[in-house]
Amino acid sequence: MAILVTGGAGYIGSHTCVELLNKGEEVIIVDNFSNSSPDVIKKIGQITGKSVTVYSDDILSEAALHNIFTAHKISAVVHFAGLKAVGESVRVPMDYYYNNVSGTLCLCRVMAAHGCKKMAFSSSATVYGAGTGGPFREDDAVSAINPYGMTKVMIERILTDIAAADPKWGIALLRYFNPIGAHPSGLLGEDPTGIPNNLVPYIAQVASGKLARVQVYGDDYETPDGTGVRDYLHVSDLAAGHIKALEYVENHPGAEAVNLGTGTGYSVLEVLAAYEKACGKKLPYVIAPRREGDTAVCCADPAKAKRLLGWEAAIGLDEMCRDSWNYAKKLQKG
Ligand code: NAD
Ligand code: UFG
């Protein structure tokens, strides 16, 4: 039996493929490479010494998905494939709803047709909406403040309804907080095209000399140093959470929302200081206006993940920055 990983060539998907292969699973990737490179597949092979079967297909094609499910015995799906840029989702909402929501429906229809009803889905802390900053619990109200967030709210609802109607489904709705870092080998990491939207990829490019200075979006929030606080977790810890989630859904019917975060928040300036330590140099920054849609604090209550999945994050901020810099240095050298 194999595990199908949609979006498996992406940032979080590639790290999860490594964990699955290390555990001895057979892994099939389906990815349209709209936001990733086929090179990643080689890197996964280099790290694990194992090979994966790759389908360069779109999850919007039910015919392509049928072929995959016909060619392989698939026991469960880890569903990462999706578009994820908040700002872009405001500009092209139709693309986001089509790709993320319709793509998930295509996948579920094909899974059902082939009797495969176990899934771990990439949701996001964004479903807590403007919220209070947390620590967010899974039974807090969900809402969305942009089309990207709404795709996650809608998909969570769709998957919950599907699981309620048929007890053969077991689905983990994994609400990631802020994944950062890279594989310790420096072979896999996050390499966004264009100017990065997210803090750590931006800092990495300042450290590499590609960008002049970090813009700190606001220093007048109600936080200890006035800058935004987030719950950062190492992408390898996050990947390990998926293995635990797959074990859980195997024996538990229904759809279950689970936060994946550390429960500890760090401010922008604290992350910057940790990154300076990792790269051994001062990183220039300026205080810029607040970014629209940002909240002061966003942190997880990670208790449910520990209780249900037996998972908790183990890797600290210094290691997250060390691994991010290790990857960024390798990219710099080409
Ligand atoms: P990513 O863009 O690196 O990976 C997504 C992968 O899916 C890419 O390889 C892309 O080519 C592929 N893809 C997109 N649409 C597809 C389609 N229709 N058919 C086939 N492949 C398709 O993103 P990531 O950071 O690895 O995120 C993975 C998932 O986790 C996404 O659903 C994202 O919304 C969610 N998530 C990410 C974060 C984060 O901070 N990175 C936080 C919360 C949730
Ligand atoms: N920030 C800066 N400068 C930057 C980028 C970010 O100061 O150049 C600040 C932000 O204001 C925020 C913090 O750094 O306080 C983290 O910002 P990120 O963009 O890295 O992460 P967000 O928490 O804003 O966004 C993440 C995901 C989104 C998701 C959101 C809510 O990237 O997809 O969490 O879960 F919607």
Side-chain angles (χ1 to χ4, degrees), residues 124-126 178 198-199 215-217 228 230 232 268 291 294:
S124 164
T126 191
N178 288 57
N198 297 117
L199 179 65
Q215 322 253 352
V216 176
Y217 296 141
R230 295 292 183 273
Y232 297 94
V268 174
R291 185 171 65 176
D294 270 356

Side-chain angles (χ1 to χ4, degrees), residues 84-86 124-127 146 148-149 176-180 196-203 214-218 221 227-230 232 268 290-291 294-296 298:
K84 63 164 184 176
V86 171
S124 164
T126 191
V127 301
N146 51 62
Y148 166 71
Y176 313 156
F177 280 71
N178 288 57
I180 61 169
N197 295 309
N198 297 117
L199 179 65
V200 171
Y202 198 106
I203 294 178
V214 179
Q215 322 253 352
V216 176
Y217 296 141
Y221 285 108
T227 66
V229 169
R230 295 292 183 273
Y232 297 94
V268 174
R290 288 182 179 194
R291 185 171 65 176
D294 270 356
T295 54
C298 181

Side-chain angles (χ1 to χ4, degrees), residues 274-299:
Y275 214 97
E276 285 179 336
K277 204 156 48 152
C279 70
K281 53 187 159 192
K282 275 280 174 210
L283 298 173
Y285 71 90
V286 288
I287 304 296
R290 288 182 179 194
R291 185 171 65 176
E292 208 188 314
D294 270 356
T295 54
V297 181
C298 181
C299 289

Side-chain angles (χ1 to χ4, degrees), residues 6-13 30-37 57-60 79-84 99-100 103 121-125 148 152 174 176-179 190 198:
T6 75
Y11 172 49
I12 307 169
V30 57
D31 201 303
N32 65 1
F33 297 103
S34 57
N35 196 38
S36 53
S37 154
D57 284 315
D58 199 301
I59 58 162
L60 284 158
H79 178 29
F80 294 102
L83 301 174
K84 63 164 184 176
N99 194 76
N100 294 5
F121 167 65
S122 300
S123 189
S124 164
Y148 166 71
K152 296 298 183 191
L174 301 175
Y176 313 156
F177 280 71
N178 288 57
E190 194 175 12
N198 297 117

Side-chain angles (χ1 to χ4, degrees), residues 147-199:
Y148 166 71
M150 187 51 90
T151 69
K152 296 298 183 191
V153 171
M154 288 170 77
I155 295 168
E156 283 203 1
R157 179 59 196 261
I158 290 167
L159 295 176
T160 301
D161 288 346
I162 288 174
D166 175 356
K168 290 204 179 66
W169 283 92
I171 304 175
L173 309 169
L174 301 175
R175 296 176 177 168
Y176 313 156
F177 280 71
N178 288 57
I180 61 169
H183 192 268
S185 64
L187 292 171
L188 296 174
E190 194 175 12
D191 182 21
T193 46
I195 296 185
N197 295 309
N198 297 117
L199 179 65

